[in-house]
Amino acid sequence: MLTFMYLLKLFDSPFPHPWDANTCVLSLQSDYHFEYTECDALGSRWRVAVPNKADICTDLPDPVKGTQCSFSCSEGEFLNMQLQECQKCAVGTYSLGTGVAFDEWDTLPPGFVNHAVTTSAGDAPADCSNSTWTPKGDYVTSNTDECTATLSYAVSLKKPGTVSFEYFYPDDSIYFEFFIQNDQCQSTDSKSRWMKTSETGILCSFAVEFGLKPGNNVLYWRTTAYTLEGSAVKPVLIKNIAISGVAFTSECFHCKPGTYSAKQGSARCAPCPAETYSNKGASVCRQCEQDTYAEAGSGSCKPRPACTNRDYFYTHTPCDSEGTTQLMYKWIEPKVCSETVEEAVKLPASGEKQTCPPCNPGFFVTNSSACEPCDKGFYSNGKACSKCPVGTEPVVGFEYKWWNTMPSNMKSDISRRDFGNSGQTWEVAGEYVYTTPGDQDTDYLMLTLDVPGYRLPQSMVKDSERSELSRITFVFETTCTADCKFAFLAGFNRWSNDEVEQWKGSNSKQSYSYLIQSNSTISFTWIFQRTEELNTRKYSADAAKIFSIHITNVIGGVASECRRCALSSAEASSACVPCPLGHYMVNGTGVCESCPLNTFIRADQPVGEAACVKCGPNTQRNKAHTACLSDCALDVQTRGGALLHYNFSPLSNVTGFHSSPRFTSKGLRYFHRFNLGLCGTEVRSCGPDGVCLFFFKSGYVCQSTVVPSDIRSQSTVSTQPFVIGDTIIGVTTDTLLNSISSPNWLFPPAPVLPDVIFYYKSSETTQACKQGRSGAIRLRCDPSIYIISHICVLLHSNCSEGTCDGCTFHFLWRSQHACPLCTKNNYREIVSACIQGIQKTTYVWQQPLQCYGGESLPAQTVSACVTLDFWLKFGVSTGTIAAVLLICISCYFWKKTRKLQYKYSKLIISSGNNECELPTADSCAIMEGEDAEDDLLDLTKKSFFTKMRSFSREVSSPFIHADRVIKQLLTVCVLITFRGRQTDLTQFH
């Protein structure tokens, strides 16, 4: 209606029309542009001309009928509003068709809005007018002060679409969230709006994608910083924002510098290869001139500097069969220096042979000069392996002091500010490993060492409270001419760890030790950065060297020496010698016995049969015989005798969820975040923020207390994680397992199938939980819930936040993946009527449906059949034939009966003339030559109805009449024979 009124007003406007002689000069096409009106109820719209300036001449083109609202253009096309047709983009431009992209941030693109507010709780709020997102060319950066900065963009979608972007989130002092608000003011769920972060400041970019619904959508990127005194906060970076789902784009976008599109109808621009460059809107990339260079995706070329000693590095080849290695020199890739410039250095000659360094302690030299680890119970000094003597035990760990090849559990890589990472940054050099000259001085050069875990020597287990779990010691030095940084980090993996120590500038050769107090510390990272000064490459010679690394008590480590057993185990001189996997040592004998099937060895009691612990229901021990695992599969026998098969593999991934918000006495809002790993063979545990990380047990539950990013406290915002369960006890439908209870009264009643319960236990004890914490996760079948992370924290009237006593936590997980696998018993067949000789069989699920996956419904089957009309015709025909046959048989026997009656009458008559003579032998049979019409002799004397009744009786029992006639004939013959005795024939009869 509004569109119609608008058109009427436009047509009835008092302004003159273009064809009026008294009008002003017709507007140029550059003075206006076309837009579409809003769609009406029929999906129609009008194209109208809109002036670009307010004081433009009003002689605009008349409105015309527009395209249908469902109209859209494909990738590489734009809508020509003049022709209302889609056309291909020209070379040097691109189009997403039904989307828009923002990859240039010289200024804030049109449509983006900046907004900043204070989060201070004091009386004097801070000035946040300048605390906004700032364009920086290829990306936009967030604020770094104690203000909440929001970057928003509104878009109207005609069909379902997506939004994707890349971001760099280096500092956990900033809370970064992204959420979407639709036209009904509904925002993204809070548990999915928080972005991932790297707590160590290591550069790592992420690409994410979110779904958008048709209609108006407002996108929000929000950051809030919590700065501590004397600390600098690193901003959040965002780039390459792309939105799809709009109906069309009315123009194509020019390729940004460093990219090109060589053909019409391009959906995106390709980056220029190295040694080439391009300007904005380029269709080809130009080759750099001599003595200049360009990196991939560059918009210009740079002069090549003269090669120096900082532009190459050296490394060693692996040892050959002769025990020698070659010294190799290599240019830094990509090579940017010039060897032809005056005063440029040349690459030294490679191939100089050197004697290979010895193997590291715990390894031995093979026939091929390679280094292999010694077997368990053996030790070595790097040459040959020897067995530990009786009464001693190997000192297990990792000790690296010779660097011919990079150890298999160490990895080297690079992270950059421009969201990239590549290249080998640490190289072996015989006596040390060092950082090679880099492409950019701001690169983070990382060396990561992963270990599987720690275990005290068996002789020290009983005295574990006074024994250190493990210790790492390394020797290093740094040589710097700028403000370089060298940091050592320890944590769960290289992307989630804490900085232990940092050194700045040059440092002489020195040793550093770090005591490992938790078995969860399984990753160590060394990071070297030459400078934070951007766009420089003059400190390539600055380097860090690591000479040796030594870690003690490592699971799966090697031994460099053996030591005497502790006095506490002196009862048996060989009691400290480890047994094979799955074996325990008999007390006082030194003999190893095998544990029963499906049991694992307790680390706290390796001696005696009590060391063998049976795995819980539906769990299996791991290969190392150190824990029990669940393979996510389960078979349950119901009371009715049916066997249900479960597969929880879709639920085995890391799952996190939030509880309802809570408030402190001062009104500060916070919530509990839970993370869990249900099952599977991967090994996981909980990090310092409650996030799942790799560990050596399967199945875990952990909790953390988090303050939201939009609330600022006067104290430091942090999380308080703790482990609820790091060991899976068993999987069963019973509500009690190993003193862990999951009573039914805490949960809503299960509709049909019993709940499957996963039980977890933590070995960490507290003053409140002297037996450790535990958790029970109920999996309930609900085919209507397809969201994997749909988990409910128990909120009973007597229990808050999932626990009633603070030690045992209860969760309810509803999902279609918690249903048993479908079988033939879950569907039935429906057979249709026989129509034109065809009968269809359709299979449908039994309702209510209580299964998911497994066997799918069989396809509909079609078979031939016989209709009811055929059987009716067949029955009538058969009945008619049977009736005719019965009549014929009745007539036949009736005729036979009449002939016998006739003979009987004739015999009576003939016996009256000769009373003393018997008839001849053939008197009782039909004589030859007798005619059948003699049968009518007796019938002619009776009435018609009498004849019919007689006929009916005779037909109904012809055989009985025949038998009776024969008996009468015999009687008559007897009477005639004795007639001379004056016997009354009539009385006798």
Side-chain angles (χ1 to χ4, degrees):
M1 180 62 70
L2 292 176
T3 303
F4 180 70
M5 294 176 64
Y6 170 77
L7 293 175
L8 288 179
K9 182 178 179 180
L10 187 64
F11 285 127
D12 295 338
S13 173
F15 293 103
H17 290 281
W19 54 82
D20 196 333
N22 297 324
T23 62
C24 61
V25 179
L26 186 66
S27 301
L28 299 176
Q29 188 172 356
S30 60
D31 294 334
Y32 61 89
H33 65 276
F34 292 109
E35 291 184 5
Y36 281 124
T37 61
E38 294 292 334
C39 297
D40 57 20
L42 300 178
S44 301
R45 56 187 173 184
W46 292 81
R47 189 200 69 179
V48 296
V50 179
N52 294 331
K53 298 181 180 179
D55 56 349
I56 196 173
C57 179
T58 57
D59 295 331
L60 301 173
D62 293 333
V64 298
K65 187 76 172 180
T67 60
Q68 289 294 321
C69 292
S70 59
F71 174 83
S72 63
C73 292
S74 302
E75 288 186 346
E77 297 180 344
F78 73 101
L79 179 64
N80 187 328
M81 293 293 289
Q82 181 73 28
L83 303 176
Q84 297 196 73
E85 295 179 353
C86 292
Q87 295 182 349
K88 291 186 177 181
C89 291
V91 295
T93 63
Y94 73 98
S95 168
L96 299 179
T98 58
V100 291
F102 304 96
D103 51 9
E104 291 186 76
W105 296 91
D106 297 326
T107 59
L108 205 62
F112 282 88
V113 178
N114 254 320
H115 182 66
V117 296
T118 179
T119 57
S120 175
D123 297 333
D127 182 12
C128 295
S129 58
N130 296 324
S131 301
T132 58
W133 291 78
T134 306
K136 293 289 186 180
D138 290 336
Y139 49 84
V140 58
T141 66
S142 70
N143 65 314
T144 57
D145 54 12
E146 294 186 351
C147 294
T148 297
T150 304
L151 180 67
S152 63
Y153 182 78
V155 61
S156 178
L157 302 186
K158 301 301 181 183
K159 59 182 180 179
T162 59
V163 55
S164 62
F165 58 91
E166 294 181 35
Y167 72 92
F168 159 54
Y169 182 10
D171 199 332
D172 61 354
S173 296
I174 295 181
Y175 280 136
F176 176 41
E177 55 182 325
F178 170 76
F179 60 95
I180 305 167
Q181 191 175 73
N182 57 21
D183 52 6
Q184 298 178 354
C185 296
Q186 296 176 340
S187 299
T188 306
D189 192 3
S190 60
K191 64 183 180 181
S192 60
R193 62 169 61 182
W194 305 100
M195 300 291 99
K196 297 179 181 179
T197 180
S198 176
E199 297 180 355
T200 62
I202 301 173
L203 292 178
C204 179
S205 63
F206 297 93
V208 293
E209 182 174 309
F210 298 87
L212 299 177
K213 296 181 179 180
N216 296 323
N217 293 269
V218 183
L219 315 178
Y220 294 93
W221 293 266
R222 179 185 295 172
T223 56
T224 303
Y226 295 89
T227 59
L228 299 177
E229 184 176 357
S231 62
V233 178
K234 297 179 181 179
V236 176
L237 310 182
I238 298 177
K239 74 171 186 176
N240 294 338
I241 300 177
I243 304 172
S244 66
V246 298
F248 57 86
T249 178
S250 57
E251 62 177 345
C252 296
F253 301 96
H254 290 282
C255 294
K256 68 177 183 178
T259 63
Y260 74 101
S261 64
K263 60 180 181 179
Q264 293 182 341
S266 296
R268 56 191 54 85
C269 298
C272 290
E275 308 301 334
T276 63
Y277 74 100
S278 69
N279 298 321
K280 186 173 183 178
S283 59
V284 294
C285 295
R286 299 180 181 179
Q287 193 73 27
C288 289
E289 296 180 358
Q290 189 177 6
D291 293 332
T292 62
Y293 75 98
E295 301 174 354
S298 297
S300 62
C301 296
K302 302 177 184 179
R304 290 184 181 272
C307 290
T308 65
N309 296 334
R310 300 187 299 268
D311 293 308
Y312 64 87
F313 64 96
Y314 59 94
T315 184
H316 291 78
T317 62
C319 294
D320 55 22
S321 58
E322 299 177 355
T324 60
T325 180
Q326 296 183 27
L327 181 63
M328 308 296 294
Y329 293 92
K330 299 179 181 179
W331 291 112
I332 299 173
E333 296 294 341
K335 182 185 176 184
V336 298
C337 67
S338 175
E339 301 178 64
T340 61
V341 179
E342 188 178 355
E343 298 180 355
V345 300
K346 301 293 184 179
L347 186 69
S350 300
E352 178 186 351
K353 287 193 173 184
Q354 298 178 352
T355 303
C356 281
C359 294
N360 284 311
F363 291 79
F364 68 98
V365 182
T366 63
N367 295 331
S368 60
S369 297
C371 295
E372 295 290 339
C374 294
D375 295 335
K376 185 174 294 187
F378 289 77
Y379 72 99
S380 80
N381 58 359
K383 296 182 179 180
C385 298
S386 303
K387 188 175 181 59
C388 287
V390 177
T392 64
E393 58 185 346
V395 180
V396 179
F398 287 140
E399 185 176 359
Y400 305 112
K401 63 180 183 180
W402 300 108
W403 303 91
N404 185 58
T405 58
M406 190 70 72
S408 59
N409 58 345
M410 298 186 71
K411 182 179 180 181
S412 168
D413 56 10
I414 183 175
S415 290
R416 293 175 175 170
R417 285 189 186 273
D418 59 355
F419 298 85
N421 52 20
S422 63
Q424 182 81 5
T425 60
W426 290 75
E427 285 288 347
V428 295
E431 296 182 352
Y432 53 84
V433 58
Y434 75 106
T435 56
T436 60
D439 182 36
Q440 299 179 17
D441 289 343
T442 55
D443 292 345
Y444 288 83
L445 312 180
M446 300 184 298
L447 179 67
T448 304
L449 170 64
D450 295 323
V451 294
Y454 313 94
R455 179 184 298 165
L456 287 173
Q458 296 185 5
S459 62
M460 295 184 178
V461 170
K462 296 182 179 180
D463 198 20
S464 58
E465 294 183 359
R466 293 182 295 176
S467 302
E468 63 181 35
L469 178 62
S470 180
R471 181 184 294 270
I472 180 172
T473 303
F474 59 92
V475 179
F476 73 98
E477 75 173 7
T478 58
T479 304
C480 302
T481 58
D483 55 340
C484 68
K485 296 180 181 179
F486 181 67
F488 170 64
L489 303 93
F492 297 88
N493 58 31
R494 57 184 221 158
W495 302 119
S496 182
N497 44 29
D498 297 321
E499 185 177 283
V500 177
E501 192 66 49
Q502 183 183 110
W503 298 267
K504 296 182 179 180
S506 297
N507 294 271
S508 59
K509 190 174 181 180
Q510 57 186 282
S511 176
Y512 180 81
S513 293
Y514 172 66
L515 183 63
I516 302 168
Q517 299 178 342
S518 172
N519 217 338
S520 58
T521 305
I522 59 175
S523 178
F524 303 96
T525 303
W526 293 265
I527 302 177
F528 181 72
Q529 184 188 34
R530 293 181 171 89
T531 182
E532 291 188 350
E533 183 180 349
L534 296 176
N535 301 322
T536 60
R537 193 184 174 186
K538 55 185 178 181
Y539 305 115
S540 298
D542 294 357
K545 296 180 180 179
I546 298 179
F547 295 90
S548 64
I549 301 175
H550 185 203
I551 314 176
T552 62
N553 300 337
V554 178
I555 295 177
V558 294
S560 60
E561 59 180 348
C562 298
R563 63 183 170 195
R564 290 289 178 181
C565 296
L567 295 177
S568 58
S569 60
E571 297 179 0
S573 59
S574 60
C576 59
V577 178
C579 291
L581 292 177
H583 291 69
Y584 66 93
M585 184 172 294
V586 180
N587 291 326
T589 63
V591 178
C592 294
E593 295 288 343
S594 175
C595 282
L597 293 176
N598 207 28
T599 59
F600 67 96
I601 301 294
R602 292 179 56 182
D604 58 345
Q605 192 173 357
V607 179
E609 190 174 359
C612 302
V613 180
K614 184 175 179 58
C615 290
N618 299 300
T619 60
Q620 304 83 31
R621 68 182 178 190
N622 59 1
K623 294 182 179 180
H625 296 75
T626 57
C628 295
L629 311 176
S630 171
D631 59 357
C632 301
L634 179 67
D635 294 335
V636 175
Q637 189 83 27
T638 62
R639 294 182 179 179
L643 184 61
L644 304 179
H645 303 279
Y646 289 86
N647 183 11
F648 302 115
S649 297
L651 307 179
S652 62
N653 293 329
V654 179
T655 304
F657 59 97
H658 296 287
S659 67
S660 57
R662 308 189 71 181
F663 299 87
T664 64
S665 58
K666 294 184 178 181
L668 177 64
R669 182 167 66 97
Y670 68 95
F671 55 86
H672 294 307
R673 176 176 178 82
F674 296 89
N675 287 275
L676 61 90
L678 187 67
C679 55
T681 57
E682 284 191 357
V683 287
R684 303 183 179 100
S685 185
C686 305
D689 60 348
V691 178
C692 166
L693 299 166
F694 291 98
F695 197 53
F696 56 89
K697 294 184 180 179
S698 174
Y700 74 97
V701 184
C702 48
Q703 174 189 316
S704 57
T705 303
V706 183
V707 178
S709 65
D710 54 350
I711 300 296
R712 178 185 180 275
S713 172
Q714 297 298 326
S715 60
T716 304
V717 178
S718 62
T719 61
Q720 300 174 356
F722 63 86
V723 178
I724 296 175
D726 56 9
T727 302
I728 186 168
I729 302 301
V731 184
T732 180
T733 57
D734 298 334
T735 58
L736 179 65
L737 181 64
N738 289 3
S739 72
I740 304 176
S741 176
S742 178
N744 292 326
W745 60 267
L746 289 175
F747 302 90
V752 179
L753 298 175
D755 296 335
V756 177
I757 308 174
F758 280 73
Y759 290 93
Y760 301 90
K761 183 77 174 177
S762 173
S763 57
E764 297 181 2
T765 61
T766 62
Q767 185 175 1
C769 304
K770 299 187 181 302
Q771 301 299 324
R773 296 186 181 93
S774 58
I777 302 176
R778 281 180 173 248
L779 298 183
R780 178 165 295 180
C781 175
D782 193 339
S784 63
I785 298 179
Y786 60 91
I787 302 176
I788 291 180
S789 59
H790 187 84
I791 308 177
C792 298
V793 181
L794 175 62
L795 293 175
H796 194 268
S797 58
N798 298 328
C799 309
S800 62
E801 300 301 334
T803 179
C804 299
D805 55 4
C807 298
T808 303
F809 291 76
H810 306 274
F811 306 91
L812 181 62
W813 194 343
R814 292 186 177 96
S815 174
Q816 61 182 359
H817 299 290
C819 298
L821 300 178
C822 294
T823 63
K824 295 181 179 179
N825 299 327
N826 296 110
Y827 60 82
R828 59 187 178 90
E829 63 179 22
I830 299 177
V831 182
S832 66
C834 187
I835 301 175
Q836 297 181 353
I838 296 176
Q839 191 173 50
K840 297 181 179 180
T841 303
T842 306
Y843 299 89
V844 297
W845 294 112
Q846 298 278 5
Q847 297 298 330
L849 183 62
Q850 293 294 321
C851 68
Y852 180 78
E855 295 188 13
S856 58
L857 280 177
Q860 187 183 60
T861 59
V862 179
S863 59
C865 62
V866 180
T867 61
L868 181 61
D869 296 340
F870 172 80
W871 289 112
L872 183 60
K873 294 177 182 179
F874 178 78
V876 171
S877 302
T878 304
T880 302
I881 296 173
V884 173
L885 182 61
L886 182 61
I887 292 173
C888 294
I889 293 175
S890 300
C891 293
Y892 173 77
F893 282 104
W894 174 78
K895 185 175 181 180
K896 286 292 184 180
T897 303
R898 300 307 300 165
K899 287 182 180 180
L900 291 176
Q901 288 180 344
Y902 168 74
K903 294 300 297 179
Y904 170 69
S905 300
K906 188 175 180 180
L907 182 60
I908 295 298
I909 296 173
S910 62
S911 64
N913 298 329
N914 299 313
E915 297 179 353
C916 297
E917 295 181 4
L918 291 172
T920 59
D922 58 351
S923 61
C924 291
I926 299 177
M927 300 299 296
E928 184 178 356
E930 291 180 337
D931 200 353
E933 62 259 9
D934 293 339
D935 298 340
L936 303 176
L937 180 63
D938 187 61
L939 296 175
T940 55
K941 300 179 182 180
K942 300 179 181 179
S943 65
F944 176 76
F945 293 103
T946 303
K947 292 177 181 179
M948 290 300 297
R949 286 195 299 270
S950 176
F951 176 77
S952 177
R953 288 193 301 268
E954 292 167 359
V955 170
S956 62
S957 55
F959 292 100
I960 297 176
H961 282 279
D963 181 72
R964 186 180 301 169
V965 170
I966 295 173
K967 289 182 180 180
Q968 290 177 354
L969 289 176
L970 294 177
T971 305
V972 170
C973 292
V974 173
L975 291 176
I976 294 175
T977 304
F978 294 96
R979 184 167 183 167
R981 300 182 182 179
Q982 304 297 323
T983 305
D984 189 357
L985 180 60
T986 302
Q987 293 178 356
F988 186 84
H989 179 68

